[in-house]
């Protein structure tokens, strides 16, 4: 083990991995047959079935009881307050050890650091709305989703159509949301809607974030979206029909929802980058092991220079990305501006893991195309990561805008 891995966070990581092996892997084993068939996991609308939701809830509650579920959350909300430098190491370790396919581990042990669980957005919520719900959010009994994107508003968030129309002391929201992760499980949602059309037209605010209960009349999850060879997914389509909201439900300030969203998405981008490092290392480990055992032309394939070159290039790209993620996390923890750097690492890490998965499959020959070793699932999962939390093109756009505005520090 190198000295950087044996860091301040190694004890937390060791304990977390040991908890997963002892408490979560047995749940997976118990339901292995059920989980292996997507017809059990997703219903005809592509939404997660009740039994699958129940299994996930059990894992969340086990994780919360052991003190891991809220590891990334703010201390004032009852979380573990892990800084960005710790989060990236935990995230890498989870994906390095468990690979791409462990849905219970990846979806339920620790939620996304921004869109679910003890999201920092909760710090901007009225106490009277939050207090009665907080304990259930901390304990994993209730989960959240983040409903910003729409059919016509993904990269271009100012093209939002969901509108909050004034109604008495509050508003009624009408619109449709698309791609919303976790909405099928969620008890609460951060819903973004236009409150000031003129400001939106000028691309200068005018979008407000509201905290709603998904059981409220007017909030419905219509379908799960089949993604990359799956029958459904965690991403959903939501309808908002005369959904009533009050001023107390505003998160942050009226008209300032997009600033909140972008701050959080940056956090998500860094965490996703660390996920990519873990996944790429998982694929490299498998490739090294295969290169040391598979024989062709009378020797193990690791003795062929072309395979050696692939392994060396994979390790080099992973190492460079890992170093950049660590440096960016240090900047985040120091409170330094890091929008450009976070975009650079999201772009680089998601593209790196796509390339590494492809090379790993190539090293495994025909075996790489089967899912015996999980590489085929890894390849598909890696491909999805270049789109959410800002596409690779949008990351390049952000970096270029910062450079052209004079921020050329590197
Ligand atoms: C699995 C998954 C989970 C998601 N979870 C959530 C969630 O929980 N909550 C949520 O709100 N959203 C979520 N999203 C939505 C995600 O943020 C959007 O899909 C993403 O921002 C891209 O938007 P789009 O799909 O509409 O593509 P578009 O914006 O239509 O882009 C289409 C293509 O055009 C390119 N493009 C767009 N604008 C430019 C430009 N200015 N310059 C150059 N190229 C450009 C894009 O890079 C892309 O290649 C999720 C998406 C996925 C796939």
């Amino acid at each position: 083990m190198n000295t950087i891995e044996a860091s301040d966070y190694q004890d937390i990581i060791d304990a977390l991995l040991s908890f997963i092996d002892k408490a979560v892997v047995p749940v997976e084993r118990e339901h292995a047959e059920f989980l292996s068939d997507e017809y059990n996991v997703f219903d005809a609308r592509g939404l997660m079935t009740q039994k699958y939701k129940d299994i996930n809830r059990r894992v969340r509650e086990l994780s919360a009881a052991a003190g891991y579920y809220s590891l990334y959350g703010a201390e004032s909300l009852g979380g573990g307050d892990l800084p960005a430098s710790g989060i990236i190491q935990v995230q890498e370790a989870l994906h390095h050890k468990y690979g791409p396919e462990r849905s219970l581990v990846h979806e339920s042990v620790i939620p996304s650091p921004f869109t679910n669980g003890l999201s920092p957005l909760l710090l901007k919520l009225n106490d009277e709305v939050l207090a009665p719900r907080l304990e259930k959010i901390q304990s994993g009994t209730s989960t959240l989703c983040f409903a910003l994107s729409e059919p016509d508003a993904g990269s271009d968030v100012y093209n939002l159509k969901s509108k909050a129309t004034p109604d008495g002391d509050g508003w009624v929201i009408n619109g449709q949301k698309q791609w919303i992760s976790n909405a099928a499980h969620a008890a609460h949602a951060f819903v973004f809607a236009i409150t000031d059309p003129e400001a939106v037209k000028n691309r200068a605010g005018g979008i407000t974030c509201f905290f709603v209960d998904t059981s409220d009349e007017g909030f419905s999850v219509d379908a799960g979206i089949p993604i990359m060879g799956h029958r459904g997914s965690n991403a959903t389509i939501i309808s908002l029909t005369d959904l009533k909201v009050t001023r107390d439900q505003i998160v942050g300030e009226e008209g300032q929802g997009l600033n909140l969203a972008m701050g959080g998405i940056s956090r998500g981008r860094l965490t996703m980058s660390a996920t990519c490092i873990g996944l790429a290392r998982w694929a490299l480990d498998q490739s090294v092991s295969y290169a040391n055992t598979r024989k062709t032309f009378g020797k193990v394939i690791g003795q062929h220079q072309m395979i050696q070159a692939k392994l060396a290039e994979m390790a080099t790209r992973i190492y460079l990305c890992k170093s950049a993620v660590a440096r960016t996390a240090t900047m985040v923890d120091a409170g330094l501006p890091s929008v450009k750097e976070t975009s650079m690492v999201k772009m680089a890490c998601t593209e790196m893991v796509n390339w590494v998965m492809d090379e790993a499959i190539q090293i495994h020959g025909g075996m790489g195309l089967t899912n015996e070793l999980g590489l085929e699932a890894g390849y598909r999962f890696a491909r999805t990561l270049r789109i959410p939390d800002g596409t690779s093109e949008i990351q390049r756009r952000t970096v270029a805008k910062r450079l052209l505005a004079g921020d050329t520090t590197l």
Side-chain angles (χ1 to χ4, degrees), residues 115 146-156 178-182 227 233 235 384 387-394 397:
T115 59
F146 180 85
L148 174 62
S149 300
E150 300 186 357
D152 289 325
S155 306
D156 186 5
Q178 184 165 292
W179 307 114
I180 310 310
S181 301
N182 197 52
I227 289 182
S233 79
T384 65
I387 295 187
D389 286 2
T391 64
S392 286
E393 291 75 19
I394 292 303
R397 178 178 183 264

